[in-house]
Amino acid sequence: MTNTFPQIPPVAMPEVIPSELPHQKFHLGDWVRWFQVPNGDFGRIIGVIYTQQASCIATGLHYLVLLDERSPSRKICTCDFAFDEDIEPLDNSSLEGLQRNHV
């Protein structure tokens, strides 16, 4: 049996490194949901990265979200990336409602 190693995408350093990064709207540990889709996923922020067009289609902050075990897409993916414009914060009552609705 041969070992198969995952391919690592190419990494390109930006020509100009910004002196300031955009302000983070969300922080590690925040609960969020995708609000622009009818049956949006929800989860917790576990990482933040900054990309420029050299390595990604969109420049800016990307939030790595660990999907809640009851989130609709959790059966096919554990984590997903989101932009500021795609997600909104969840308060405790909204989170509990989502978790009850996706049992």
Side-chain angles (χ1 to χ4, degrees):
M1 184 169 158
T2 61
N3 289 335
T4 304
F5 296 101
Q7 290 284 325
I8 298 174
V11 175
M13 291 298 293
E15 290 181 24
V16 177
I17 297 175
S19 59
E20 290 185 32
L21 294 176
H23 175 72
Q24 275 186 240
K25 183 176 176 183
F26 303 100
H27 300 280
L28 296 178
D30 288 354
W31 284 94
V32 295
R33 77 175 186 103
W34 277 259
F35 67 92
Q36 296 187 17
V37 292
N39 198 14
D41 283 302
F42 59 99
R44 200 167 213 172
I45 303 288
I46 61 168
V48 182
I49 62 169
Y50 177 80
T51 62
Q52 286 191 307
Q53 289 188 353
S55 62
C56 183
I57 295 172
T59 296
L61 292 176
H62 296 70
Y63 298 94
L64 180 59
V65 180
L66 173 64
L67 299 181
D68 185 87
E69 62 187 23
R70 288 160 287 217
S71 190
S73 298
R74 180 61 186 253
K75 291 178 180 139
I76 59 171
C77 69
T78 305
C79 297
D80 198 359
F81 278 100
F83 298 102
D84 279 342
E85 304 83 29
D86 299 328
I87 54 178
E88 66 181 3
L90 282 174
D91 59 26
N92 284 339
S93 63
S94 298
L95 175 61
E96 290 169 3
L98 283 171
Q99 290 173 331
R100 273 194 309 274
N101 290 336
H102 296 285
V103 176

